[in-house]
Amino acid sequence: MNIVNLNDLSLEEINDLLDEALDFKNGKTVDYQNKKVIANLFFEPSTRTHYSFDMAAGNLGCRTQNFEANHSSLTKGESLYDTCKLFESIGCDALVIRHNEDDYYKQLEGLQIPILNAGDGKGNHPSQSLLDLMTIKEEFGHFEGLKIVIVGDIKHSRVAHSNYDIMQRLGMEVYTSGPLEYKEEGYHYIDFDEALEEMDIIMLLRVQHERHKGENDFSKEDYHLRYGLTLQRYQKLKDSAIIMHPAPVNRGVEISDELVESEKSRIFRQMHNGVFVRMAMIHKVLGHE
Ligand code: CP
């Protein structure tokens, strides 16, 4: 099986993955005894997703192969399909793939090997959404009725797109905010300053400059003043509210430097939880030890 888009999974399957991730966090062990190999194929830069998938595979007793696009036969014109088919042919058991093209995995339907989507363009980022959900579930114990505002470059963000759908399916009230230029058609939009006092979760996003095509960007200072989480905005949040960010964080732009590790911030807990969620995902697609 593949995990490429959470819309393909039932809510029961998603809750099972989250429960499994929590079990791993609480000490459950699985050992594939070096008999399974996970190939990490990152065609676009990544720090968190790449190395936490690598850590997750190691924790499960799997070996990993870490592909370097710049030193591969891609530079000689090899296609994505043929590159992935190579890793299937040499005996890998699952592929973790990040690629800058939306829905890249549709080109790979001829492969027999399981695919774990580590991010496709501005489409989906299922492992990020699962670690976000795990962090929320740990914090509040439920999803139904929680209010979240996702602030920033919604239009170009696979994190926003993945989370908007799955969080609504789980009964959360999902709002977006930030520059109108980056608003997604059809998504609920709310003024950030009006949202602050009501929200349970503030999720901040980086401006995805690499996906903009000649559109005007704000200066860092202007963005921070208008849409960033400043200390003044932080002080208006509910006592129980938490701050999330998928990272990488641009300190002083979408969030004030001093708030990145503040009491309400769960940013580094999200990264910690990412390892357990990815263990659950790998274990699910491999099926058994
Ligand atoms: N959150 C996230 O996907 O980070 P990386 O791009 O570093 O993997």
Side-chain angles (χ1 to χ4, degrees), residues 19 36 41 82 182 187 190-191 196 235 251 258 265 273:
D19 289 345
K36 300 285 184 187
L41 310 182
D82 286 343
Y182 304 154
Y187 280 21
I190 191 168
D191 180 87
L196 291 170
Q235 284 162 347
R251 289 175 181 248
E258 65 201 319
S265 172
N273 285 343

Side-chain angles (χ1 to χ4, degrees), residues 164-231:
Y164 196 84
D165 289 344
I166 186 57
M167 288 178 178
Q168 285 200 322
R169 285 175 67 205
L170 287 162
M172 293 174 64
E173 283 184 39
V174 189
Y175 301 90
T176 60
S177 192
L180 286 171
E181 294 89 322
Y182 304 154
K183 180 179 181 295
E184 185 59 279
E185 237 10 78
Y187 280 21
H188 298 296
Y189 181 88
I190 191 168
D191 180 87
F192 189 26
D193 286 302
E194 284 175 22
L196 291 170
E197 291 171 26
E198 275 189 60
M199 295 293 143
D200 299 297
I201 303 148
I202 309 287
M203 178 175 284
L204 304 159
L205 300 178
R206 181 177 69 84
V207 177
Q208 313 276 321
H209 297 285
E210 69 276 24
R211 296 191 197 123
H212 292 200
K213 291 184 183 137
E215 294 163 34
N216 282 331
D217 288 330
F218 300 83
S219 74
K220 290 176 182 175
E221 295 75 19
D222 191 27
Y223 186 94
H224 187 59
L225 279 176
R226 293 171 68 180
Y227 309 108
L229 188 65
T230 58
L231 192 56

Side-chain angles (χ1 to χ4, degrees), residues 42 45-50 98 118 125 128 158-159 246-248 278:
F42 282 75
S46 167
T47 309
R48 269 144 294 278
T49 313
H50 185 161
R98 171 172 291 188
H125 198 344
Q128 179 68 46
R158 55 187 167 228
V159 177
R278 290 171 177 126

Side-chain angles (χ1 to χ4, degrees), residues 2 114 134 172 270:
N2 299 329
M134 177 178 175
M172 293 174 64
Q270 287 172 264

Side-chain angles (χ1 to χ4, degrees), residues 18 31 45 51 186 238 248 252 255:
L18 297 176
D31 187 1
Y51 294 101
K238 288 194 337 193
I255 180 169

